[in-house]
Amino acid sequence: MSENPIFFLAFVALFLSAASQHDEFVYTGFGGGGAANGGRSNISLTGVAEIENNGILRLTNDTSRLIGHAFYPSALQFRNATTGDAFSFSAAFAFAIVPEYPTLGGHGLAFVISPTKELKGALPSQYLGLMNAADVGNFSNHLFAVEFDTVQDFEFGDINDNHIGIDINSLVSNASVAAAYYGGDGANVSLNLKSGGTVQAWVDYDGVAKVINVTVAPFSSKPAVPILSFHPVDLSPILHDRMFVGFSASTGLLASSHYLLGWSFKMNGVAQSLDLASLPSLPHPKKKATALIIAVSATAVIILIAAVIGAAYLFYKIKNADVIEPWELEIGPHRFSYKELKRATKGFRDRELLGFGGFGKVYKGTLPGSRTEVAVKRVSHESRQGIREFVAEIASIGRLRHRNLVQLLGWCRRRADLLLVYDYMPNGSLDNFLFFDESKADQPVLSWAERFRILRGVASALLYLHEEWEHVVIHRDVKASNVLLDADLNGRLGDFGLAKLYEHGANPSTTRVVGTLGYLAPELTRTGKATTSCDVFAFGALVLEVVCGRRPIESKAPPEELVLVEWVWERWSSGRWADVVDPRLEGVYDNEEVAVAIKVGLWCSHPAAAARPTMREVVRYLDGGDAAEVPDVPSPPASDGGHEGKSDHGGFEDFVHSYPSSSFGKGSIASAIALGREEAGLVGPDGPVSSFAYSSLSSLSRGSV
Ligand SMILES: Nc1ncnc2c1ncn2[C@@H]1O[C@H](COP(=O)(O)OP(=O)(O)OP(=O)(O)O)[C@@H](O)[C@H]1O
Ligand SMILES: *[C@@H]1O[C@H](CO)[C@@H](O)[C@H](O)[C@H]1NC(C)=O
Ligand SMILES: *[C@@H]1O[C@H](CO)[C@@H](O)[C@H](O)[C@H]1NC(C)=O
Ligand SMILES: *[C@@H]1O[C@H](CO)[C@@H](O)[C@H](O)[C@H]1NC(C)=O
Ligand SMILES: *[C@@H]1O[C@H](CO)[C@@H](O)[C@H](O)[C@H]1NC(C)=O
Ligand SMILES: *[C@@H]1O[C@H](CO)[C@@H](O)[C@H](O)[C@H]1NC(C)=O
Ligand SMILES: *[C@@H]1O[C@H](CO)[C@@H](O)[C@H](O)[C@H]1NC(C)=O
Ligand SMILES: *[C@@H]1O[C@H](CO)[C@@H](O)[C@H](O)[C@H]1NC(C)=O
Ligand SMILES: *[C@@H]1O[C@H](CO)[C@@H](O)[C@H](O)[C@H]1NC(C)=O
């Protein structure tokens, strides 16, 4: 017995005429049929189709790739058995498509007339549970369908994702139209099939006029004009005499629940109209909606969090990215990526540290691809402006090539850091060999031949920078620690051009003087303008260092030997020059070459810039190796009367002024250099010397006289 009043309304009306061409039935909901039928109508279901408790027929739920079929249990006579002409028929039904996600539904349902109730081999998704890829379009299907399709399948030329189509043996519709209906005023009102609301549909075939009309509307009363009228179409060859009629629905990746609420059918007549109010109501999608809202908001929150994390990561990446600016890209191929250099130096770890100078730390590295050994100098610099100009200059420096220059291979910029990549020099810098260091056991001693070759190499590198390159390059920081030795102990000048980086001070009116004390030409501290003869002066100091194995200023030495150049000058003029030659050579040297070196060294060290030779002359005399050919060195003006003659300007007095610090000699070179840089780089054209440097200067001057 039925308790639900709907079951009284839900009944099956079968009017079976003798010839069965008047077959007619009505399902007002599918819950009728009484206890004998288990509380449900007599209808054949295959696939996942089910009749729910309230009498609604659910062809599919919203799980993907499902098929549901519902057929009238017995076959109907669709043709006149004698003539083979298809009968007219009429169907009216109410359905609802409730998509899993609003606006994203799949795939739709179809009213179908088929030779079987099972539709064996049919596929879900775009095939609507009607056929499969192999039999689409095969005339032996004998299949007629009206599709209510909610997915646009380009494979079948669908017009949109909300259309009605007439399919004959195929899923390529013979006629289709966007889902709509003509309202009372004849206007075309579009209808959303997957709105989740109830849709009424009518399929009418006129077997005489050979017309198929399809009509849809969201309400019970049938609009006067069908939305789709297809003619002429003769279903006689399509249909067998006896056919099953019913519905098929399918889901794909996107899914909808497909419901059938009621259905009436009449052969050779007009199907009884359905009263939507008397049909079972759709399940309330409330819970689903709440779940959906929760799901959507949760997804939104997750996406938001992901976006924030992503943005933070991106920000981090950008902030730490190598700073690449458009002007740098124009410079050429010498740019390394920071990652590459980090890998090459094993993350700039201390074990790879080769040393450090005034510009920063130098690491040993091996380039990942080529296994080339390199030295990576990490220069920190705050001034973007300076670094920009400098990198622009690197472009030209990078093209400098000489066998006595340490080749600059490339660079990389990262935030305030500038990384310079040089050829690796396995034997380190010259100062490590030159100056006696009691802390180093069995320190190797360079022979005179090696020393002279190194000097000649450095001289030719300087000549190249001054005269042989397309424009004049002033090194500004010639000194023993910037002369590096390759595997064959050739002297190679390093750090060229780097000093310029430090001349770009924040205040353009105070050009900083850069260089290392002991190598600074006296005029540099007065004018602040670097010239090639400043390099010549520094080279002179280097030559004397190499000959004597002593720093330009040796605080531990007796007072008369304190300033190397004064001492050498004094011994040279008195003919006792052998006294100054490095005792570690143990007298093994070429007299002529040592004499040339001393003469050139003194000449280059002349306090007056104009009196110094050019690098071309220096190279010529060093290569000649004949002391007689070197012109006599002009005497320094102030030293004529001996060291007692004190004057405020010129002479060795000025020379001494460029040796302010007593921290040379003993202890750390690095700190002395760092100190020196601090104290030396401060003089504008007429600017004051810093108080520290000044007092050091005066004390030294006193000490030396
Ligand atoms: N290309 C190189 N190959 C091998 N070792 C190097 C190379 N360049 C530098 N070094 C080592 O790193 C040390 C520091 O070099 P750096 O040039 O920074 O300092 P510096 O020459 O003492 O001072 P400055 O910064 O005034 O030039 C050098 O003394 C040397 O031992
Ligand atoms: C939908 O139907 C299929 C087959 O009957 C079943 O496995 C699945 O659990 C159902 N899904 C839902 C959401 O009810
Ligand atoms: C359902 O209908 C078919 C065909 O009309 C009939 O053969 C069958 O017995 C019916 N089943 C029930 C349970 O009424
Ligand atoms: C079939 O067609 C013939 C010839 O037109 C007609 O006599 C007969 O009544 C038709 N049968 C039915 C069932 O309509
Ligand atoms: C159509 O289907 C029939 C029966 O399944 C088959 O024998 C025939 O080869 C098919 N034709 C085409 C063109 O696929
Ligand atoms: C319907 O279309 C199929 C191909 O999709 C075609 O073979 C058939 O002839 C068409 N039928 C009509 C009546 O237009
Ligand atoms: C109804 O209107 C829609 C859009 O305005 C259009 O795509 C469709 O073809 C129209 N249908 C008919 C039958 O004119
Ligand atoms: C089909 O629609 C056309 C046009 O509105 C109409 O003239 C015809 O009578 C209809 N036929 C049926 C069987 O509904
Ligand atoms: C210079 O380096 C080479 C190669 O690393 C090495 O064989 C040689 O002993 C080094 N010379 C000195 C004097 O250290």
Side-chain angles (χ1 to χ4, degrees), residues 60 201 324 381 541-542:
T60 71
I324 300 174
H381 200 273
L542 178 73

Side-chain angles (χ1 to χ4, degrees), residues 88-89 204-207 209 211-214 222 224-226 228-229 231:
S88 299
F89 62 85
D204 299 293
Y205 175 64
D206 186 333
V211 176
I212 294 171
N213 286 347
V214 182
K222 185 177 179 180
V225 183
L228 182 58
S229 184
H231 60 88

